[in-house]
Amino acid sequence: GPKVLQIPSHQIIDMGQMVTLNCDPVSNHLYFYWYKQILGQQMEFLVNFYNGKVMEKSKLFKDQFSVERPDGSYFTLKIQPTALEDSAVYFCASSNRLGGAETLYFGSGTRLTVL
Amino acid sequence: QQQVRQSPQSLTVWEGGTTVLTCSYEDSTFNYFPWYQQFPGEGPALLISILSVSDKKEDGRFTTFFNKREKKLSLHIIDSQPGDSATYFCAASDANYNVLYFGSGTKLTVEP
């Protein structure tokens, strides 16, 4: 089936540094999402993105977070500066339509460890 | 406030048995309820979904039931197989479809 690729699969950084998580969504998808998962637990919605803009974000999407997809390239999540509590697995997802009966396709995640 | 509650947290069944996972929700505007299956080291993948206009949807060994009055849904897996061992998440969204809220997941182990 359609694949969402996430790069890198694992990133270790020191607290306070900047990190950029990259997502290559399914080619014809227009809606993009980031979710955060701690210790294999609940998937928490962070943000969704469409037509170059953030549509909705949760309270977990702190001011230190930003997303963009310049010129149809990677959909990125940038955290600057990072904090210890940002350690988690971050999943990117994409869809043809904004949720609903349309499927969200998830990547395999980027495990972020903040030391 | 947790939008979607899921139980049990973990479950072990014997091969060939029936697995039942349950979820409940609060927001009456939710009308789309997918179930996702996640294997270790992978992202969640859609297993089956149901809209609130239906009360049952079947796909092979997997059936999801929806009870609008009680705001509950369930996933039944018949003839459970070791390959079904994974974490299962229920989820819900409203008609705006902006946010998909996930339950806390059920780790299923199917013993041969």
Side-chain angles (χ1 to χ4, degrees), chain A residues 90-102:
Chain A
Y90 290 84
F91 288 97
C92 171
S94 69
S95 73
N96 279 333
R97 194 174 62 190
L98 205 63
E102 200 66 35

Side-chain angles (χ1 to χ4, degrees), chain A residues 35 42 48 56 98 100 103 107, chain B residues 32 38 43 46 97-98 100 102:
Chain A
Y35 279 80
Q42 192 165 3
N48 59 29
E56 190 158 342
L98 205 63
T103 302
Chain B
Y32 170 61
Q38 184 179 29
L46 181 68
Y97 306 138
N98 284 335
L100 192 60
F102 281 82

